[in-house]
Amino acid sequence: MSHAPSRAPSRAPSWVPASEFARVREEIADPYDRAAAVSTLARINTLYMIERAGSGHLGSSFSAADIVTHLYLSEMRDPGTADGDVYFSSKGHDVPGLYALLAGLALLDEALIHRLRRLDGLPGHPDVRTPNMPFNTGSLGMGISKAKGLILADRLAGRARRVHVLTGDGELQEGQNWEALAGAVRHGMRELTVVVDHNKIQSDTWVADVSDLGDLEAKFRSFGWGVVRCDGNDPQALEAAFAKRAAAFPDGPAVLVADTVKGAGCGTFAATTSMREGEWRYRYHSGAPSPDDCAAAYAELWASAGELLERHGVAPVRSRPAPDALDALDEPDEQGAPDEQDGPYEPYKLPPVYGAALVELARQDARVVALDADLVLDTGLIPFWEEFPDRFFEFGIAEQDMVSAAGGLAAGGRLPFVHSFSCFLHARPNEQIYNNATEGRRIVYAGSLAGLVPAAPGHSHQAVRDISALGAIPGLVVAEPANAAQTRALVRYAGTAEESVYLRLSSAPVRAVADALPAGEDPATGRGTTVRQGGPLIAIGAGPVVLEQLMGAAELLAADGVELTVVNLPWLNRVDRNWLAGLARGAQALTVVEHHYTHGGQADTVARALLELGPAAPPAFRGLGLTRLPGCGTEAETLAAHGMDAASLAAALRP
Amino acid sequence: MSHAPSRAPSRAPSWVPASEFARVREEIADPYDRAAAVSTLARINTLYMIERAGSGHLGSSFSAADIVTHLYLSEMRDPGTADGDVYFSSKGHDVPGLYALLAGLALLDEALIHRLRRLDGLPGHPDVRTPNMPFNTGSLGMGISKAKGLILADRLAGRARRVHVLTGDGELQEGQNWEALAGAVRHGMRELTVVVDHNKIQSDTWVADVSDLGDLEAKFRSFGWGVVRCDGNDPQALEAAFAKRAAAFPDGPAVLVADTVKGAGCGTFAATTSMREGEWRYRYHSGAPSPDDCAAAYAELWASAGELLERHGVAPVRSRPAPDALDALDEPDEQGAPDEQDGPYEPYKLPPVYGAALVELARQDARVVALDADLVLDTGLIPFWEEFPDRFFEFGIAEQDMVSAAGGLAAGGRLPFVHSFSCFLHARPNEQIYNNATEGRRIVYAGSLAGLVPAAPGHSHQAVRDISALGAIPGLVVAEPANAAQTRALVRYAGTAEESVYLRLSSAPVRAVADALPAGEDPATGRGTTVRQGGPLIAIGAGPVVLEQLMGAAELLAADGVELTVVNLPWLNRVDRNWLAGLARGAQALTVVEHHYTHGGQADTVARALLELGPAAPPAFRGLGLTRLPGCGTEAETLAAHGMDAASLAAALRP
């Protein structure tokens, strides 16, 4: 075969413009090959976007590509118009693929595909501010409920559009999905079709190994839904399945269980080949592939496209070169950031430090058990799992179940450490955490990916409300470590404290500045450590990023002769009043800087305590935090946009 | 038949001592009649407790009575011992019945049955501080998860006890139940048996009318669970069902779908007779029955007991008279409280006022729709439902589904008002409320039963953490009205505000003092109203109870020549800085009093704002709120216990 198109890129990334999508759609008459060609071009642009962004959910975008292409090309009436059929993804992780298709169909400004996961670009998960994104998703399990609400509103308005919702298969572990099903039956929601992108792999590994779904068809059927099953990567099978859905279940909601392959359309990323003998972790869930893998994938995708086009006598696709490289390319993955220090210093991240400290604790305390919700890598738990397989419990994407089960384990005499991303851990099982507290259980909750950055995944994954949401729970201490030493100290503290603990763990790189800060000796609840002795201008902060930027701000201010005192207060909902009184004595200004909405966080706690101390002449007080939804972008641009970088902080703190 | 025992009480309530339970158990040889007799005596004591307390879940206690009796008498090994089998109720509403049985079996101090829903007595929902209550429940849907955790802990400890969990049928509308099932299959939890008390009636009315469960057996089966079905009010059928469970499903978890009758064992309360033609609401869910109904029920229960005993030649049961009447009897139901005012003033409650105001708003604004989660009476929604049936949506006990669907309705152009008890509305769908906010949807959340009192249901139902849990959500205003005028004003405000609103609604009686307070003209976000002009000693509060007690405290202080200024600030997470600066000017002391944990609430917001205003010499500041779990008791005793009654407040505020 000589079908490799001449313009196929090698390592210089290129992308397919909408005009070429349009030409291919026009020139391939066969609907199934047309769909295959379009989804292949969309996959090329998806890979381009993710490689350029440094992160993004590739496997999920590829598995869903044929479903989404079929919907937009063949199934939906007038997509992208006010009265046209609606599609959205409940899992949201597959949004790079959706962006690529929408741009290819001119339903999204194609200039945006160069700005995936960048400020004012395309967010890492769907957001309604992007055209043709009906809902914010990425927090799993909400889509069916939202679709139902939209349909109820449409009925009130006399509007008859159909609504298609894509869910993941791992996503079905969330209870809200099952909670949502009855209402759709009750209301006879013929407008509603749920498509399960059944690619069998969730964040960490095989769904069956995490929390097996069992007989998915029987489950939906038992909830009164119509069920159709098909190959979700085959345009012809998809067409037949949608036809069957309409014919067999004209009066109610139905689900299409679409068997797909994670990474479909490209052998490099496809599950069956990418988890080799002895491997258990899927490598293309959210990070950008290696340059070699990207090159191999581009070659394969361009070859597929070329073969298809050649078969239909269609001229090869003319790709376009990428615009100037963005600084995003400095950031290797969604949790990465450039090393700004000179010299041999290697930035590191806190979750693995946390995980090692937990192993150490578990060796000494047989009560310690660990619970996970499908984020075993991102929460640093792999070493624990390997060393204590009997004391490790995997719950899948089922945070409420996990947290209540932790209550049961504590009732049975164990000391549970409960894990997820902070964004999910503080909010989804909020009532369950409180319920455990009302029983007086000792439980440690550890939420990684906390704070404003990394900002590439977008606001569904940026935990900037956790201190407020958990801070009032009686007997729960909220604390955030700033470096490895403090992480180890807080894990030891959590192991022996009288109260329960919520550890707020940053997943941003810890660079030399934060790493060098003294961690304090034995942590004393509510007391901070002065990490830079300056003058009566005092800034308080917690976590590696806030402190690094504050130390940077101090440098900038020092150049102007202003000596900032920087204090690390890792306690976010407690402050020792004696310690605070000492700090405030003689202070001219006290500012709390936090990666949290500027309400309900550390600034409120410090302000309340300071005012209740009743100083005759209190220092000028200010809290600096987020005043709006956190932006999606690189670490540097997001910190700057929220006034949280060293320069902005220096300007704000200058007397 | 002449079986009415001579000692059956008429209207002077009496109760059955444990010694009589023991005698009956010993003297009736037939196991099924023995169980029936014990559960009948337990029902008598249940009714005694609920009548005495003025509230309690009677229908649910009666429907579950035979299941629980069978478990304790015949099924469980060594109940009440450390290694014995475990039973707990996930719904928790049926706990009066459980208390009655446990006291009858000497597994609970029988003196406690006189103190249902009283401080240091038996809480309205299960609490671990009561003997033989393994978990805190009453927040629905957590039980299966907790049982799983306990079993995992048991396995680690080499302990082999079985765990039985009772759930409601309405409770199965909560997604967490379905989230929990997979893990039990994965771990082959043969120790775990779930019994569904399938009485077909939930809080408001028939389960099938609220949110039909469909084929419950097929559902559990599709999730991989063993399923047995039986008559849950028949001891013999229960025995057979447990035997079948053990034989048919020896290697995994199983559910016993037990068909029961709400109010079973007593025709007066039984569903089939108590919802007459044309009635739709079940009348014996949580309030105490009328004196006439109680009298009829006592007669029927004593007759049943007498007939059983006579048949077995057992002497009649000797009941004991109730100890001195408690002051609890002043409170007619769980939301009631004595009218302390003289004269003809009739206390009223805010939810009905709210409901009427919502109807008024909906007449003027066609966008308004209302969503409910099986609390149509308690949230004041019946008039709305009657007038706008097409704009009313019932979700059942599925708060997450309801909140996300509200997001969909808002996306479709509606203005949703979303309802539940505050305790459930702020916590269970916490992430869903935030997700709606990230989309910029305009939604109004109205949570009733907010605050410390009524305190009879216990801490699962006392929302004293809601301001903190929701307060940091961008674009969400948290506000609490103090009387009818302010409720109407805030509903109008919610209808037109730019931001979303969470209305914190007290369900305590509004008495004359609070009712007479000026509500302020058009509500201006963040600004309060001085409702009592006093001196430079200022107290700020919101809601009818806080303000009534503050006004009472002001009276007490005035008698000593101290003139307290009382300010009503209905805004709980916003304060207008200009207004606050004016108030603080010349103030000697400023105290915020709130029915909320003393962290993350109104006091924090006011303190932060005041400190940031940077007054040269700020007034002495204090926040008074809850420092521990809210107690369960009458309004008066609970307010006093938490230092929230007028006398305690006067003492705390005295300069």
Side-chain angles (χ1 to χ4, degrees), chain B residues 631-652:
Chain B
C632 174
T634 64
E635 178 173 325
E637 70 188 7
T638 308
L639 290 177
H642 290 277
M644 286 281 152
D645 61 321
S648 305
L649 290 174

Side-chain angles (χ1 to χ4, degrees), chain A residues 129 136 145-146 148 175-176 179 401 428 430-432 434-435 438-439 465 468 597-598 604 608, chain B residues 129 136 145-146 148 175-176 179 401 428 430-432 434-435 439 465 468 597-598 604 608:
Chain A
R129 290 147 198 93
N136 288 2
S145 302
K146 290 184 177 204
K148 283 167 39 186
Q176 187 178 351
E179 186 171 308
D401 180 41
R428 188 63 65 103
N430 190 276
E431 190 180 8
Q432 287 81 2
Y434 179 58
N435 182 282
T438 68
E439 293 175 353
R465 194 178 65 86
S468 168
Y597 287 120
T598 185
D604 282 12
R608 164 87 176 269
Chain B
R129 291 150 198 90
N136 288 3
S145 302
K146 289 184 176 204
K148 282 164 46 185
Q176 186 178 350
E179 186 171 308
D401 181 41
R428 189 62 63 101
N430 190 277
E431 189 180 10
Q432 287 80 5
Y434 179 59
N435 182 283
E439 292 176 353
R465 194 178 66 86
S468 168
Y597 289 119
T598 185
D604 282 14
R608 165 86 175 271

Side-chain angles (χ1 to χ4, degrees), chain A residues 20-41 73-74 304-317:
Chain A
E20 287 292 88
F21 277 81
R23 183 174 64 81
V24 167
R25 285 177 65 191
E26 203 179 295
E27 294 183 1
I28 300 184
D30 176 78
Y32 311 120
D33 276 359
R34 185 198 304 136
V38 166
S39 66
T40 303
L41 298 184
L73 259 52
S74 307
S304 297
E307 190 273 334
L308 260 168
L309 269 53
E310 192 177 72
R311 179 146 35 96
H312 291 276
V314 175
V317 164

